[in-house]
């Protein structure tokens, strides 16, 4: 959930208060990782304050993610990811940006992760969760942080589903 990003609501529409959503999603991430307790009923009944028009997070996008979290908690299963093999991970193209994560560090990490997905490495979901990358410096463009974070969330989820 580290990489969850939501659009602003459409013009004239109201969104959920971003800080409240972020705090709840932190709790949900901890629960899905087995480090906190959260029930499907708590997810279903959570209420967020409504932000002024044009502010906050798009309600439909947040509700869609909450439906997925509720399903995962209710079934005890992790929703399938697109990262079944190392080739799937290598096929992901990360967008570049100034002040993004250092591309060499990210690439080296993802090479190791690809080997693990192919059954040749020992990377764990905890290692993915605790990984931090340096920010690119100078004129070097790194990988966009939100895109890398979202990919790491998906990789962590895939490794957890494999019991790693």
């Amino acid at each position: 959930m580290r990489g969850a990003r939501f659009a602003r609501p459409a013009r004239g529409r109201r969104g959920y208060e971003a800080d409240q959503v972020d705090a709840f999603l932190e709790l949900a991430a901890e629960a899905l990782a087995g480090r906190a307790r959260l029930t499907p009923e708590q997810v279903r009944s959570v209420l967020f304050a409504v932000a002024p028009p044009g502010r906050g997070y798009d309600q439909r996008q947040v509700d869609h993610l909450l439906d997925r979290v509720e399903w995962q908690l209710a079934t005890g299963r992790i929703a399938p990811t697109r990262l079944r093999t190392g080739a799937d991970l290598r096929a992901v193209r990360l967008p570049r940006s100034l002040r993004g994560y250092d591309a060499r560090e990210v690439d080296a990490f993802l090479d190791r992760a690809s080997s693990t997905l192919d059954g040749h490495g020992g990377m764990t979901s905890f290692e993915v969760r605790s990984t931090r990358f340096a920010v690119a410096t100078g004129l070097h463009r790194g990988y966009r942080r939100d895109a890398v974070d979202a990919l790491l969330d998906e990789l962590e989820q895939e490794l957890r589903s494999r019991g790693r």
Side-chain angles (χ1 to χ4, degrees):
M1 305 233 164
R2 162 179 35 190
R5 300 288 185 263
F6 304 104
R8 297 243 182 254
R11 186 179 179 110
R13 306 219 30 159
R14 298 170 70 106
Y16 292 135
E17 281 290 341
D19 292 341
Q20 291 179 8
V21 172
D22 291 341
F24 189 79
L25 291 180
E26 255 322 296
L27 173 63
E30 292 296 309
L32 290 171
R35 293 185 292 271
R37 176 122 171 86
L38 185 66
T39 66
E41 293 75 28
Q42 289 171 307
V43 175
R44 189 177 318 109
S45 64
V46 69
L47 296 174
F48 302 113
V50 178
R55 304 192 67 89
Y57 292 148
D58 181 275
Q59 292 180 3
R60 286 179 297 178
Q61 291 178 3
V62 172
D63 290 342
H64 176 74
L65 181 60
L66 292 176
D67 287 344
R68 184 173 171 193
V69 169
E70 180 185 350
W71 177 83
Q72 287 179 279
L73 291 170
T75 63
R77 297 191 341 228
I78 297 173
T81 72
R82 62 187 166 140
L83 303 177
R84 302 301 299 160
T85 67
D88 295 336
L89 182 58
R90 289 186 296 275
V92 173
R93 297 291 167 240
L94 293 166
R96 299 265 186 166
S97 78
L98 291 174
R99 306 292 305 150
Y101 289 137
D102 183 278
R104 288 178 299 232
E105 283 185 28
V106 173
D107 287 340
F109 183 85
L110 294 178
D111 284 344
R112 288 184 45 238
S114 291
S115 292
T116 296
L117 290 175
D118 287 337
H120 307 296
M123 185 177 286
T124 65
S125 60
F126 177 77
E127 184 178 352
V128 174
R129 180 174 176 71
S130 59
T131 294
R132 301 292 178 260
F133 299 109
V135 174
T137 58
L139 298 176
H140 300 285
R141 292 173 58 96
Y143 291 126
R144 236 178 57 202
R145 295 181 203 185
D146 62 333
V148 172
D149 289 345
L151 183 61
L152 291 180
D153 280 346
E154 193 171 0
L155 178 59
E156 178 188 2
Q157 181 175 322
E158 179 61 33
L159 292 177
R160 264 198 334 261
S161 74
R162 296 177 182 202
R164 299 192 64 109

